[in-house]
Every structure is written in C-alpha cells, then in structure tokens.
Amino acid sequence: MRAKHIASLSVLILAQLGCDAERKPSSETAPGAAPGPAPVEGASPMQASASGIAPLQKKQFGAPITETSTTPLPALLDDPGKFSGKTVRTEGVVSAVCKSMGCWMEIADESGSAHIKMAGHSFFVPKDASGHRAVVQGKMVTAEAEEGAACGAKDNCRGEAEKQTGRVAKIELEATGVQFLD
C-alpha cells in the first residue's frame, strides 16, 4: 500500500515538473496581450504599484483625512520652507516602512521622497505597505526642529529608511492620518 502511494506521488511530481518545463518564460508579450505588472522589489517609486502585492486588510489609519486640497509631493520638495509647520495633504507610493512597528514610512514619486512619521506613535501602518499608493495628512516638520524632535534622532529610523531606499528623504511629515488608495 505504501509503495502505491509513493509511486502515485512520484508520478504527480514528474507530471508537474514536465508542465513547468513546457512553460518557459518569454521576454516577449503575446500580440494583443497586456504586459505583466512590474515587480515591486527594487522598482522605482513610479513603477511600483499594488498589482502583484498583497492587498491591505485595512485602508485608513489615524485620524480621517480632512484636508480637501492635495499638495503635490514635488511642490513640497521644491519649497519645504513655504509649508513648514503647516498641515498638508499629499500622496505617493510607499517606498519603505518601519519593519519593527510601522511607526514610519516613506512615500515617493519621480521628484523625490518624504519621510513620514506617525504623530506621537498614536497609530501604525502595516509593515507590508511598500508598493501601495497612500494619501498622507500631516504637519511639515521644520529642518530647525529642536535636537531629538526629528524622526530618527534616537531610534535611527531615517537611517533604516535610507538602507531600504538607498536615499535620504529631503522632507519630513508628522502624519495625523494615512489612507491607502489600493
């Protein structure tokens, strides 16, 4: 009886291997077919998308987003002083997330990135949120913030974000609310 099970299992394994060998990946897209999703791992922020990554169970974190006007990330990056200390709403693709608690994330687009810390650790985002598009509402943190006030001063979260993304975010927001769009 045991030999029959082993033989049956062997046949199934060989059949599966044969099927996999016949399906060789092609670098060309079939005529009329849409190209497949770009891989999220190592993709640039504009290439990243939620296709091919696990959907998030929850979409809203922190306080509801009440700002109705979206300030594009490039505008924040071009003139951070103009928005210093003000509450803004912006959006981008999540390029990095705190792997221990979800207490910070970075959003990016082709113009650059912003480091987002969750205000007072009052809420946390999913640790697997990278690649998802997010709307963030928060206050711009000034470059002249007192020593220890900026994110990463004690726990090196900005250093960890740099390890994940390969760059340092030019601006920082203290988020009161985050909503994932996909």
Side-chain angles (χ1 to χ4, degrees):
M1 181 76 170
R2 186 172 181 193
K4 258 187 177 178
H5 288 281
I6 292 174
S8 296
L9 185 58
S10 297
V11 169
L12 288 172
I13 290 172
L14 289 173
Q16 181 64 36
L17 290 173
C19 290
D20 287 344
E22 290 173 14
R23 277 189 249 137
K24 292 181 181 172
S26 171
S27 60
E28 296 179 19
T29 303
V40 174
E41 191 76 32
S44 76
M46 289 313 291
Q47 291 173 321
S49 73
S51 59
I53 57 177
L56 298 173
Q57 296 298 315
K58 185 177 172 188
K59 303 279 188 179
Q60 177 69 43
F61 298 87
I65 295 179
T66 56
E67 289 289 317
T68 55
S69 173
T70 299
T71 305
L73 195 52
L76 296 174
L77 293 164
D78 288 343
D79 192 4
K82 177 180 176 182
F83 302 98
S84 183
K86 296 181 180 174
T87 298
V88 296
R89 169 192 167 130
T90 193
E91 63 182 77
V93 175
V94 179
S95 58
V97 180
C98 171
K99 296 299 181 194
S100 61
M101 295 187 337
C103 61
W104 61 264
M105 69 180 189
E106 293 212 353
I107 60 170
D109 67 11
E110 70 279 350
S111 65
S113 60
H115 187 78
I116 314 295
K117 64 180 185 175
M118 306 314 139
H121 286 104
S122 59
F123 66 97
F124 304 99
V125 296
K127 295 181 248 180
D128 60 350
S130 286
H132 288 277
R133 189 152 192 80
V135 173
V136 176
Q137 178 175 294
K139 188 175 284 191
M140 287 282 293
V141 177
T142 63
E144 299 83 31
E146 66 182 68
E147 185 65 30
C151 188
K154 295 179 185 173
D155 59 4
N156 193 34
C157 68
R158 287 187 75 113
E160 181 60 32
E162 183 181 5
K163 278 188 212 174
Q164 288 184 42
T165 63
R167 61 182 174 180
V168 176
K170 186 176 170 185
I171 60 172
E172 184 173 311
L173 285 162
E174 187 173 275
T176 54
V178 173
Q179 180 179 6
F180 292 97
L181 301 176
D182 52 13

PDB file of all heavy atoms in Angstrom, residues 16-50:
ATOM      1  N   GLN A  16       4.121  17.365 -12.822  1.00  0.00           N
ATOM      2  CA  GLN A  16       4.230  18.797 -12.517  1.00  0.00           C
ATOM      3  C   GLN A  16       5.520  19.372 -13.078  1.00  0.00           C
ATOM      4  O   GLN A  16       5.531  20.440 -13.672  1.00  0.00           O
ATOM      5  CB  GLN A  16       4.145  19.044 -10.997  1.00  0.00           C
ATOM      6  CG  GLN A  16       4.234  20.501 -10.617  1.00  0.00           C
ATOM      7  CD  GLN A  16       3.075  21.318 -11.155  1.00  0.00           C
ATOM      8  OE1 GLN A  16       1.942  20.847 -11.223  1.00  0.00           O
ATOM      9  NE2 GLN A  16       3.351  22.545 -11.567  1.00  0.00           N
ATOM     10  N   LEU A  17       6.625  18.642 -12.913  1.00  0.00           N
ATOM     11  CA  LEU A  17       7.898  19.102 -13.455  1.00  0.00           C
ATOM     12  C   LEU A  17       7.842  19.212 -14.964  1.00  0.00           C
ATOM     13  O   LEU A  17       8.375  20.154 -15.548  1.00  0.00           O
ATOM     14  CB  LEU A  17       9.038  18.171 -13.028  1.00  0.00           C
ATOM     15  CG  LEU A  17       9.429  18.221 -11.554  1.00  0.00           C
ATOM     16  CD1 LEU A  17      10.442  17.138 -11.236  1.00  0.00           C
ATOM     17  CD2 LEU A  17       9.966  19.582 -11.198  1.00  0.00           C
ATOM     18  N   GLY A  18       7.200  18.282 -15.610  1.00  0.00           N
ATOM     19  CA  GLY A  18       7.040  18.330 -17.058  1.00  0.00           C
ATOM     20  C   GLY A  18       6.242  19.536 -17.498  1.00  0.00           C
ATOM     21  O   GLY A  18       6.576  20.192 -18.483  1.00  0.00           O
ATOM     22  N   CYS A  19       5.183  19.858 -16.761  1.00  0.00           N
ATOM     23  CA  CYS A  19       4.364  21.027 -17.094  1.00  0.00           C
ATOM     24  C   CYS A  19       5.165  22.303 -16.937  1.00  0.00           C
ATOM     25  O   CYS A  19       5.071  23.205 -17.754  1.00  0.00           O
ATOM     26  CB  CYS A  19       3.118  21.097 -16.208  1.00  0.00           C
ATOM     27  SG  CYS A  19       1.912  19.819 -16.582  1.00  0.00           S
ATOM     28  N   ASP A  20       5.949  22.413 -15.864  1.00  0.00           N
ATOM     29  CA  ASP A  20       6.753  23.606 -15.628  1.00  0.00           C
ATOM     30  C   ASP A  20       7.810  23.767 -16.705  1.00  0.00           C
ATOM     31  O   ASP A  20       8.118  24.871 -17.122  1.00  0.00           O
ATOM     32  CB  ASP A  20       7.424  23.558 -14.248  1.00  0.00           C
ATOM     33  CG  ASP A  20       6.425  23.787 -13.125  1.00  0.00           C
ATOM     34  OD1 ASP A  20       5.313  24.274 -13.421  1.00  0.00           O
ATOM     35  OD2 ASP A  20       6.757  23.492 -11.964  1.00  0.00           O
ATOM     36  N   ALA A  21       8.386  22.657 -17.188  1.00  0.00           N
ATOM     37  CA  ALA A  21       9.422  22.735 -18.211  1.00  0.00           C
ATOM     38  C   ALA A  21       8.851  23.218 -19.532  1.00  0.00           C
ATOM     39  O   ALA A  21       9.524  23.882 -20.306  1.00  0.00           O
ATOM     40  CB  ALA A  21      10.082  21.364 -18.393  1.00  0.00           C
ATOM     41  N   GLU A  22       7.581  22.889 -19.801  1.00  0.00           N
ATOM     42  CA  GLU A  22       6.959  23.314 -21.047  1.00  0.00           C
ATOM     43  C   GLU A  22       6.633  24.792 -21.038  1.00  0.00           C
ATOM     44  O   GLU A  22       6.568  25.436 -22.066  1.00  0.00           O
ATOM     45  CB  GLU A  22       5.678  22.513 -21.298  1.00  0.00           C
ATOM     46  CG  GLU A  22       5.955  21.056 -21.631  1.00  0.00           C
ATOM     47  CD  GLU A  22       4.677  20.244 -21.718  1.00  0.00           C
ATOM     48  OE1 GLU A  22       3.585  20.839 -21.792  1.00  0.00           O
ATOM     49  OE2 GLU A  22       4.778  19.013 -21.705  1.00  0.00           O
ATOM     50  N   ARG A  23       6.401  25.376 -19.864  1.00  0.00           N
ATOM     51  CA  ARG A  23       6.053  26.790 -19.740  1.00  0.00           C
ATOM     52  C   ARG A  23       7.297  27.608 -19.477  1.00  0.00           C
ATOM     53  O   ARG A  23       7.557  28.026 -18.365  1.00  0.00           O
ATOM     54  CB  ARG A  23       5.068  27.004 -18.594  1.00  0.00           C
ATOM     55  CG  ARG A  23       3.660  26.746 -18.984  1.00  0.00           C
ATOM     56  CD  ARG A  23       2.737  27.194 -17.883  1.00  0.00           C
ATOM     57  NE  ARG A  23       2.143  26.011 -17.298  1.00  0.00           N
ATOM     58  CZ  ARG A  23       1.977  25.799 -16.007  1.00  0.00           C
ATOM     59  NH1 ARG A  23       2.363  26.664 -15.133  1.00  0.00           N
ATOM     60  NH2 ARG A  23       1.430  24.699 -15.574  1.00  0.00           N
ATOM     61  N   LYS A  24       8.076  27.836 -20.493  1.00  0.00           N
ATOM     62  CA  LYS A  24       9.281  28.636 -20.334  1.00  0.00           C
ATOM     63  C   LYS A  24       8.885  30.099 -20.407  1.00  0.00           C
ATOM     64  O   LYS A  24       8.097  30.490 -21.259  1.00  0.00           O
ATOM     65  CB  LYS A  24      10.284  28.307 -21.434  1.00  0.00           C
ATOM     66  CG  LYS A  24      10.836  26.911 -21.281  1.00  0.00           C
ATOM     67  CD  LYS A  24      11.835  26.605 -22.340  1.00  0.00           C
ATOM     68  CE  LYS A  24      12.320  25.176 -22.135  1.00  0.00           C
ATOM     69  NZ  LYS A  24      13.155  24.731 -23.208  1.00  0.00           N
ATOM     70  N   PRO A  25       9.457  30.929 -19.518  1.00  0.00           N
ATOM     71  CA  PRO A  25       9.104  32.345 -19.559  1.00  0.00           C
ATOM     72  C   PRO A  25       9.581  32.982 -20.851  1.00  0.00           C
ATOM     73  O   PRO A  25      10.650  32.689 -21.338  1.00  0.00           O
ATOM     74  CB  PRO A  25       9.832  32.938 -18.350  1.00  0.00           C
ATOM     75  CG  PRO A  25      10.794  31.909 -17.883  1.00  0.00           C
ATOM     76  CD  PRO A  25      10.380  30.593 -18.468  1.00  0.00           C
ATOM     77  N   SER A  26       8.761  33.819 -21.391  1.00  0.00           N
ATOM     78  CA  SER A  26       9.097  34.523 -22.624  1.00  0.00           C
ATOM     79  C   SER A  26       9.285  35.994 -22.324  1.00  0.00           C
ATOM     80  O   SER A  26       8.539  36.570 -21.544  1.00  0.00           O
ATOM     81  CB  SER A  26       7.951  34.351 -23.623  1.00  0.00           C
ATOM     82  OG  SER A  26       8.158  35.183 -24.729  1.00  0.00           O
ATOM     83  N   SER A  27      10.279  36.600 -22.921  1.00  0.00           N
ATOM     84  CA  SER A  27      10.502  38.022 -22.701  1.00  0.00           C
ATOM     85  C   SER A  27       9.585  38.855 -23.587  1.00  0.00           C
ATOM     86  O   SER A  27       9.469  40.044 -23.411  1.00  0.00           O
ATOM     87  CB  SER A  27      11.966  38.376 -22.957  1.00  0.00           C
ATOM     88  OG  SER A  27      12.296  38.058 -24.298  1.00  0.00           O
ATOM     89  N   GLU A  28       8.944  38.210 -24.554  1.00  0.00           N
ATOM     90  CA  GLU A  28       8.037  38.928 -25.443  1.00  0.00           C
ATOM     91  C   GLU A  28       6.605  38.767 -24.964  1.00  0.00           C
ATOM     92  O   GLU A  28       6.215  37.742 -24.447  1.00  0.00           O
ATOM     93  CB  GLU A  28       8.150  38.373 -26.858  1.00  0.00           C
ATOM     94  CG  GLU A  28       9.518  38.590 -27.477  1.00  0.00           C
ATOM     95  CD  GLU A  28       9.594  38.009 -28.873  1.00  0.00           C
ATOM     96  OE1 GLU A  28       8.536  37.773 -29.492  1.00  0.00           O
ATOM     97  OE2 GLU A  28      10.708  37.800 -29.340  1.00  0.00           O
ATOM     98  N   THR A  29       5.835  39.801 -25.176  1.00  0.00           N
ATOM     99  CA  THR A  29       4.420  39.759 -24.833  1.00  0.00           C
ATOM    100  C   THR A  29       3.662  39.285 -26.065  1.00  0.00           C
ATOM    101  O   THR A  29       3.940  39.735 -27.174  1.00  0.00           O
ATOM    102  CB  THR A  29       3.927  41.163 -24.423  1.00  0.00           C
ATOM    103  OG1 THR A  29       4.734  41.616 -23.344  1.00  0.00           O
ATOM    104  CG2 THR A  29       2.484  41.135 -23.996  1.00  0.00           C
ATOM    105  N   ALA A  30       2.707  38.403 -25.861  1.00  0.00           N
ATOM    106  CA  ALA A  30       1.894  37.890 -26.967  1.00  0.00           C
ATOM    107  C   ALA A  30       1.147  39.047 -27.615  1.00  0.00           C
ATOM    108  O   ALA A  30       0.750  39.988 -26.940  1.00  0.00           O
ATOM    109  CB  ALA A  30       0.919  36.846 -26.452  1.00  0.00           C
ATOM    110  N   PRO A  31       0.946  38.990 -28.928  1.00  0.00           N
ATOM    111  CA  PRO A  31       0.213  40.067 -29.599  1.00  0.00           C
ATOM    112  C   PRO A  31      -1.159  40.254 -28.978  1.00  0.00           C
ATOM    113  O   PRO A  31      -1.883  39.302 -28.746  1.00  0.00           O
ATOM    114  CB  PRO A  31       0.094  39.581 -31.054  1.00  0.00           C
ATOM    115  CG  PRO A  31       1.149  38.528 -31.216  1.00  0.00           C
ATOM    116  CD  PRO A  31       1.371  37.944 -29.856  1.00  0.00           C
ATOM    117  N   GLY A  32      -1.506  41.508 -28.700  1.00  0.00           N
ATOM    118  CA  GLY A  32      -2.810  41.822 -28.127  1.00  0.00           C
ATOM    119  C   GLY A  32      -2.893  41.641 -26.629  1.00  0.00           C
ATOM    120  O   GLY A  32      -3.878  41.983 -26.019  1.00  0.00           O
ATOM    121  N   ALA A  33      -1.842  41.094 -26.004  1.00  0.00           N
ATOM    122  CA  ALA A  33      -1.872  40.875 -24.558  1.00  0.00           C
ATOM    123  C   ALA A  33      -1.259  42.073 -23.853  1.00  0.00           C
ATOM    124  O   ALA A  33      -0.331  42.697 -24.353  1.00  0.00           O
ATOM    125  CB  ALA A  33      -1.106  39.612 -24.196  1.00  0.00           C
ATOM    126  N   ALA A  34      -1.775  42.374 -22.681  1.00  0.00           N
ATOM    127  CA  ALA A  34      -1.223  43.470 -21.881  1.00  0.00           C
ATOM    128  C   ALA A  34       0.042  42.998 -21.195  1.00  0.00           C
ATOM    129  O   ALA A  34       0.131  41.849 -20.786  1.00  0.00           O
ATOM    130  CB  ALA A  34      -2.252  43.915 -20.838  1.00  0.00           C
ATOM    131  N   PRO A  35       1.025  43.874 -21.063  1.00  0.00           N
ATOM    132  CA  PRO A  35       2.241  43.476 -20.353  1.00  0.00           C
ATOM    133  C   PRO A  35       1.941  43.192 -18.899  1.00  0.00           C
ATOM    134  O   PRO A  35       1.033  43.792 -18.319  1.00  0.00           O
ATOM    135  CB  PRO A  35       3.176  44.677 -20.516  1.00  0.00           C
ATOM    136  CG  PRO A  35       2.303  45.820 -20.902  1.00  0.00           C
ATOM    137  CD  PRO A  35       1.078  45.242 -21.536  1.00  0.00           C
ATOM    138  N   GLY A  36       2.697  42.303 -18.297  1.00  0.00           N
ATOM    139  CA  GLY A  36       2.502  41.945 -16.893  1.00  0.00           C
ATOM    140  C   GLY A  36       2.938  43.065 -15.978  1.00  0.00           C
ATOM    141  O   GLY A  36       3.595  44.008 -16.398  1.00  0.00           O
ATOM    142  N   PRO A  37       2.576  42.988 -14.691  1.00  0.00           N
ATOM    143  CA  PRO A  37       2.933  44.037 -13.750  1.00  0.00           C
ATOM    144  C   PRO A  37       4.435  44.057 -13.512  1.00  0.00           C
ATOM    145  O   PRO A  37       5.091  43.027 -13.522  1.00  0.00           O
ATOM    146  CB  PRO A  37       2.168  43.662 -12.475  1.00  0.00           C
ATOM    147  CG  PRO A  37       1.928  42.193 -12.604  1.00  0.00           C
ATOM    148  CD  PRO A  37       1.825  41.924 -14.075  1.00  0.00           C
ATOM    149  N   ALA A  38       4.942  45.255 -13.275  1.00  0.00           N
ATOM    150  CA  ALA A  38       6.363  45.396 -12.950  1.00  0.00           C
ATOM    151  C   ALA A  38       6.603  44.860 -11.552  1.00  0.00           C
ATOM    152  O   ALA A  38       5.760  45.019 -10.665  1.00  0.00           O
ATOM    153  CB  ALA A  38       6.766  46.868 -13.016  1.00  0.00           C
ATOM    154  N   PRO A  39       7.729  44.228 -11.309  1.00  0.00           N
ATOM    155  CA  PRO A  39       8.000  43.734  -9.966  1.00  0.00           C
ATOM    156  C   PRO A  39       8.152  44.895  -9.002  1.00  0.00           C
ATOM    157  O   PRO A  39       8.703  45.934  -9.348  1.00  0.00           O
ATOM    158  CB  PRO A  39       9.314  42.959 -10.122  1.00  0.00           C
ATOM    159  CG  PRO A  39       9.900  43.392 -11.424  1.00  0.00           C
ATOM    160  CD  PRO A  39       8.787  43.931 -12.250  1.00  0.00           C
ATOM    161  N   VAL A  40       7.652  44.730  -7.796  1.00  0.00           N
ATOM    162  CA  VAL A  40       7.707  45.786  -6.794  1.00  0.00           C
ATOM    163  C   VAL A  40       9.095  45.873  -6.184  1.00  0.00           C
ATOM    164  O   VAL A  40       9.624  46.945  -5.970  1.00  0.00           O
ATOM    165  CB  VAL A  40       6.639  45.542  -5.698  1.00  0.00           C
ATOM    166  CG1 VAL A  40       6.782  46.549  -4.590  1.00  0.00           C
ATOM    167  CG2 VAL A  40       5.269  45.607  -6.311  1.00  0.00           C
ATOM    168  N   GLU A  41       9.723  44.742  -5.905  1.00  0.00           N
ATOM    169  CA  GLU A  41      11.033  44.709  -5.291  1.00  0.00           C
ATOM    170  C   GLU A  41      12.033  45.427  -6.177  1.00  0.00           C
ATOM    171  O   GLU A  41      12.231  45.085  -7.325  1.00  0.00           O
ATOM    172  CB  GLU A  41      11.478  43.244  -5.106  1.00  0.00           C
ATOM    173  CG  GLU A  41      12.697  43.081  -4.238  1.00  0.00           C
ATOM    174  CD  GLU A  41      12.402  43.250  -2.781  1.00  0.00           C
ATOM    175  OE1 GLU A  41      11.289  42.914  -2.356  1.00  0.00           O
ATOM    176  OE2 GLU A  41      13.283  43.715  -2.054  1.00  0.00           O
ATOM    177  N   GLY A  42      12.653  46.477  -5.679  1.00  0.00           N
ATOM    178  CA  GLY A  42      13.674  47.207  -6.396  1.00  0.00           C
ATOM    179  C   GLY A  42      13.138  48.100  -7.501  1.00  0.00           C
ATOM    180  O   GLY A  42      13.898  48.681  -8.253  1.00  0.00           O
ATOM    181  N   ALA A  43      11.839  48.236  -7.628  1.00  0.00           N
ATOM    182  CA  ALA A  43      11.273  49.082  -8.669  1.00  0.00           C
ATOM    183  C   ALA A  43      11.373  50.537  -8.251  1.00  0.00           C
ATOM    184  O   ALA A  43      11.410  50.852  -7.072  1.00  0.00           O
ATOM    185  CB  ALA A  43       9.805  48.719  -8.896  1.00  0.00           C
ATOM    186  N   SER A  44      11.405  51.408  -9.233  1.00  0.00           N
ATOM    187  CA  SER A  44      11.405  52.826  -8.893  1.00  0.00           C
ATOM    188  C   SER A  44      10.025  53.174  -8.350  1.00  0.00           C
ATOM    189  O   SER A  44       9.055  52.473  -8.620  1.00  0.00           O
ATOM    190  CB  SER A  44      11.738  53.658 -10.121  1.00  0.00           C
ATOM    191  OG  SER A  44      10.631  53.735 -10.987  1.00  0.00           O
ATOM    192  N   PRO A  45       9.903  54.272  -7.605  1.00  0.00           N
ATOM    193  CA  PRO A  45       8.618  54.620  -6.997  1.00  0.00           C
ATOM    194  C   PRO A  45       7.475  54.735  -7.989  1.00  0.00           C
ATOM    195  O   PRO A  45       6.358  54.373  -7.695  1.00  0.00           O
ATOM    196  CB  PRO A  45       8.891  55.969  -6.325  1.00  0.00           C
ATOM    197  CG  PRO A  45      10.349  55.986  -6.087  1.00  0.00           C
ATOM    198  CD  PRO A  45      10.956  55.179  -7.203  1.00  0.00           C
ATOM    199  N   MET A  46       7.734  55.230  -9.189  1.00  0.00           N
ATOM    200  CA  MET A  46       6.646  55.378 -10.148  1.00  0.00           C
ATOM    201  C   MET A  46       6.279  54.052 -10.791  1.00  0.00           C
ATOM    202  O   MET A  46       5.197  53.895 -11.306  1.00  0.00           O
ATOM    203  CB  MET A  46       7.015  56.401 -11.222  1.00  0.00           C
ATOM    204  CG  MET A  46       7.023  57.823 -10.663  1.00  0.00           C
ATOM    205  SD  MET A  46       5.566  58.244  -9.677  1.00  0.00           S
ATOM    206  CE  MET A  46       4.320  58.291 -10.930  1.00  0.00           C
ATOM    207  N   GLN A  47       7.184  53.073 -10.770  1.00  0.00           N
ATOM    208  CA  GLN A  47       6.864  51.769 -11.309  1.00  0.00           C
ATOM    209  C   GLN A  47       6.102  50.928 -10.302  1.00  0.00           C
ATOM    210  O   GLN A  47       5.390  50.025 -10.662  1.00  0.00           O
ATOM    211  CB  GLN A  47       8.142  51.017 -11.689  1.00  0.00           C
ATOM    212  CG  GLN A  47       8.874  51.607 -12.867  1.00  0.00           C
ATOM    213  CD  GLN A  47      10.197  50.927 -13.066  1.00  0.00           C
ATOM    214  OE1 GLN A  47      10.886  50.592 -12.098  1.00  0.00           O
ATOM    215  NE2 GLN A  47      10.578  50.717 -14.304  1.00  0.00           N
ATOM    216  N   ALA A  48       6.287  51.225  -9.043  1.00  0.00           N
ATOM    217  CA  ALA A  48       5.657  50.424  -8.001  1.00  0.00           C
ATOM    218  C   ALA A  48       4.146  50.601  -8.074  1.00  0.00           C
ATOM    219  O   ALA A  48       3.637  51.671  -8.323  1.00  0.00           O
ATOM    220  CB  ALA A  48       6.166  50.853  -6.625  1.00  0.00           C
ATOM    221  N   SER A  49       3.456  49.524  -7.847  1.00  0.00           N
ATOM    222  CA  SER A  49       2.003  49.575  -7.798  1.00  0.00           C
ATOM    223  C   SER A  49       1.530  48.425  -6.936  1.00  0.00           C
ATOM    224  O   SER A  49       2.299  47.556  -6.576  1.00  0.00           O
ATOM    225  CB  SER A  49       1.400  49.472  -9.194  1.00  0.00           C
ATOM    226  OG  SER A  49       1.532  48.162  -9.669  1.00  0.00           O
ATOM    227  N   ALA A  50       0.267  48.443  -6.625  1.00  0.00           N
ATOM    228  CA  ALA A  50      -0.271  47.416  -5.752  1.00  0.00           C
ATOM    229  C   ALA A  50      -0.532  46.112  -6.489  1.00  0.00           C
ATOM    230  O   ALA A  50      -0.848  45.116  -5.873  1.00  0.00           O
ATOM    231  CB  ALA A  50      -1.555  47.902  -5.098  1.00  0.00           C
TER     232      ALA A  50
END
